Amino acid sequence: MSIKAVLGCLYGDEGKAKIVDVLASDVDVVIRFQGGSNAGHTILYDDNKFVFHLIPSGIFHEKQVCILASGVVIDPFQLDVEMKALQEQSITFNGRFFIDERVSLVLPIHKVLDEKNEGLSKDKMIGTTRRGIGPAYADSVSRIAVKIYDLHSKDILRNKIEYISHFHGFDISKNDLGILVDDLADFGNRMKWSFVNLPYKIDEYIKKNKKILFEGAQGSLLDVYFGTYPYVTSSHTIAGGIASSVGFSPKKIDEVIGVYKSYFTRVGEGPFPTELFDEIGSKIQLQGNEFGSTTGRPRRCGWFDAVSARYSTMINGIDVAALTLLDVLSGIDIIKICISYTDENKNILEHFPADSSMLNYIKPNFIELPGWKEDIANRKSFDDLPENAKLYVKKIEELLMIPIKIISVGPKRDQTIFI
Ligand code: GDP
Ligand code: IMO
Ligand code: MG
């Protein structure tokens, strides 16, 4: 199969980047199709930790091409920082890094707006990454965004930025406007070699039978339509979003790989039925080093919620699962999995509700499984795992109704078990 996708199926931070990095050794092209620098994708490379916000997680594989598709929103200044850090590690970009000319830019004003919107009312706060993502996507669908293809003309940039500022009720000074236009035009000049009309390039790759891997950002429960609205991000994170964000036929995706963390985490506000507020939650947070890769905020931790996870499996059409961070559960005596919810009228619910505010009023129903004490970070095969760890994996497989083909037992490439 030559076209695959790796998608986060929970609230983000499922360990997608590690899985993409592992699978990228066997592909030709890795494509980020949505999100922006709200993503924090961590890879260990030569024992050094790298967190990517925009660059696809295939970049450490020298021969692989990495692409940012039309559905991504790019903060040019952030991209500069990331590229520089990689160039210092002798990673090259020329000829193997491309950006669709249709990409919309995240401008400084979008970050100001993100900050401002978050400060308007405490109970309407989303807990965003403050990277300007929501406002940038909003401008994109309002049809006023600055596109990569605008970067060649200072006149167009000046015009559009002035309009965007007025649209949002801001007055941008001549001086600030001049500096921003110069900086963007300079970015455009320096990066010109990477700009492509992506749908044609993808078509070429497909005709040449190249292996393509789509890298999701965020997670399905943060999808702008199907997540816990309004506590979501502003892009389409699910499999259905790939084709429309890239510009190719959805019929061409051969396999969708879902990444599920062995427990749940969430950063920012929003419902989280299985959240733990006790010492087990703190233990998971500590053992999993659960602090946001982008903002450093502590991640809320909780038990695996099979109702939400199964919903993700369904809406994405996940073919196979990768279960990550299983090592983090070592040393927990009893591990719980939520298998249904009970609502205020004592009805048992097995469906993820459309109105996610209902999740604040339901009670999760758990099954309990025996834990394991052994450190599993160096286990190399499924058979090597402690019996209770195998039992846990098998139970999640049964609940998701798809095969678990990859188990991750540590952040490094070689801490990956293929089944
Ligand atoms: P992503 O956004 O889905 O790519 O995930 P993040 O990079 O934000 O967060 C995942 C974190 O877990 C990172 O610090 C990874 O290095 C780390 N990680 C990935 N897989 C494993 C694993 O199997 N075990 C452990 N202990 N850490 C892992
Ligand atoms: P990766 O790709 C986890 C969350 C934010 C907030 C909500 C909206 O690393 O999995 P935004 O800045 O997108 O407007 O914030 O979405 N969020 C993430 N949570 N992982 C991410 O990305 C996230 N990107 C955004 O915390 O709750
Ligand atoms: Mg992350």
Side-chain angles (χ1 to χ4, degrees):
M1 283 195 250
S2 59
I3 304 192
K4 299 185 184 186
V6 170
L7 303 179
C9 287
L10 312 179
Y11 292 107
D13 302 328
E14 300 89 347
K16 299 175 288 292
K18 178 208 151 155
I19 300 298
V20 170
D21 176 53
V22 168
L23 298 180
S25 59
D26 187 39
V27 306
D28 302 298
V29 186
V30 180
I31 305 179
R32 267 279 306 270
F33 62 94
Q34 44 71 230
S37 49
N38 48 350
H41 291 181
T42 315
I43 289 180
L44 292 191
Y45 176 69
D46 281 351
D47 282 336
N48 292 319
K49 183 170 149 175
F50 287 83
V51 180
F52 298 129
H53 303 289
L54 283 166
I55 307 263
S57 301
I59 199 74
F60 285 123
H61 297 268
E62 274 171 39
K63 295 200 168 57
Q64 279 70 340
V65 168
C66 287
I67 295 179
L68 299 177
S70 163
V72 175
V73 287
I74 294 184
D75 174 345
F77 306 107
Q78 173 65 40
L79 185 59
D80 264 346
V81 170
E82 274 180 43
M83 287 180 71
K84 202 158 167 257
L86 287 167
Q87 278 155 345
E88 278 165 13
Q89 302 290 315
S90 308
I91 302 293
T92 56
F93 285 85
N94 243 305
R96 59 177 294 248
F97 180 63
F98 301 106
I99 300 174
D100 190 354
E101 291 166 315
R102 295 168 184 78
V103 159
S104 300
L105 297 188
V106 179
L107 300 172
I109 188 176
H110 295 131
K111 292 192 196 166
V112 173
L113 287 166
D114 199 353
E115 196 78 44
K116 180 174 155 261
N117 296 344
E118 285 287 273
L120 284 179
S121 146
K122 210 161 187 272
D123 63 289
K124 292 270 186 302
M125 195 173 142
I126 306 295
T128 73
T129 58
R130 309 282 218 267
R131 297 296 182 108
I133 303 302
Y137 276 114
D139 276 3
S140 190
V141 294
S142 295
R143 298 160 293 191
I144 60 173
V146 175
K147 297 279 185 172
I148 289 281
Y149 57 67
D150 294 324
L151 291 173
H152 70 94
S153 160
K154 285 195 180 182
D155 283 343
I156 293 176
L157 287 174
R158 202 172 296 112
N159 213 301
K160 278 200 162 186
I161 294 168
E162 227 169 3
Y163 184 79
I164 291 173
S165 303
H166 293 158
F167 184 89
H168 292 293
F170 283 82
D171 260 335
I172 183 164
S173 74
K174 261 205 155 69
N175 190 43
D176 287 352
L177 180 63
I179 294 172
L180 182 56
V181 166
D182 285 350
D183 287 349
L184 291 176
D186 172 57
F187 171 82
N189 260 331
R190 283 186 287 110
M191 294 297 295
K192 207 168 165 184
W193 53 267
S194 68
F195 303 155
V196 291
N197 192 351
L198 190 61
Y200 290 98
K201 198 160 188 64
I202 302 274
D203 193 49
E204 252 173 62
Y205 287 136
I206 291 173
K207 283 181 178 140
K208 288 184 183 155
N209 222 4
K210 297 279 184 200
K211 292 184 179 172
I212 300 175
L213 185 67
F214 292 106
E215 173 180 6
Q218 290 80 52
S220 305
L221 303 176
L222 292 175
D223 181 90
V224 65
Y225 285 174
F226 297 98
T228 51
Y229 190 90
Y231 300 98
V232 292
T233 190
S234 300
S235 64
H236 300 284
T237 62
I238 61 173
I242 300 174
S244 60
S245 300
V246 174
F248 89 125
S249 165
K251 292 185 291 187
K252 297 215 168 4
I253 301 175
D254 299 303
E255 187 176 56
V256 185
I257 302 163
V259 187
Y260 302 79
K261 212 175 232 188
S262 300
Y263 48 93
F264 268 44
T265 59
R266 174 162 206 163
V267 217
E269 306 301 316
F272 184 176
T274 59
E275 184 167 7
L276 284 161
F277 298 97
D278 58 8
E279 68 281 4
I280 299 182
S282 309
K283 185 170 176 160
I284 292 176
Q285 190 183 64
L286 195 72
Q287 290 186 182
N289 190 26
E290 292 296 357
F291 295 89
S293 319
T294 298
T295 57
R297 290 177 290 176
R299 293 177 183 145
R300 301 154 65 190
C301 297
W303 297 120
F304 193 88
D305 174 356
V307 179
S308 311
R310 202 161 42 215
Y311 165 73
S312 276
T313 310
M314 175 182 77
I315 60 178
N316 286 297
I318 300 292
D319 296 299
V320 297
L323 189 68
T324 55
L325 293 107
L326 186 64
D327 54 301
V328 173
L329 294 180
S330 289
I332 294 175
D333 293 336
I334 303 284
I335 306 178
K336 296 187 184 183
I337 302 176
C338 165
I339 51 155
S340 63
Y341 306 141
T342 300
D343 73 8
E344 288 177 304
N345 302 319
K346 307 256 180 299
N347 298 312
I348 302 284
L349 308 178
E350 288 183 352
H351 285 181
F352 190 76
D355 173 1
S356 68
S357 69
M358 278 177 68
L359 293 174
N360 294 320
Y361 307 104
I362 56 89
K363 187 176 84 54
N365 301 314
F366 292 108
I367 52 167
E368 296 188 349
L369 276 79
W372 59 94
K373 296 224 173 322
E374 299 89 328
D375 177 4
I376 59 170
N378 293 314
R379 305 291 167 106
K380 300 291 176 211
S381 73
F382 183 72
D383 288 340
D384 268 357
L385 292 174
E387 282 311 312
N388 288 348
K390 286 193 224 170
L391 201 72
Y392 186 69
V393 174
K394 284 288 156 202
K395 181 47 84 179
I396 289 188
E397 191 170 63
E398 181 192 316
L399 290 166
L400 294 182
M401 297 184 289
I402 45 161
I404 293 175
K405 291 281 186 193
I406 302 172
I407 300 174
S408 177
V409 290
K412 295 185 183 169
R413 273 183 194 168
D414 64 1
Q415 291 176 303
T416 313
I417 296 172
F418 287 90
I419 306 179

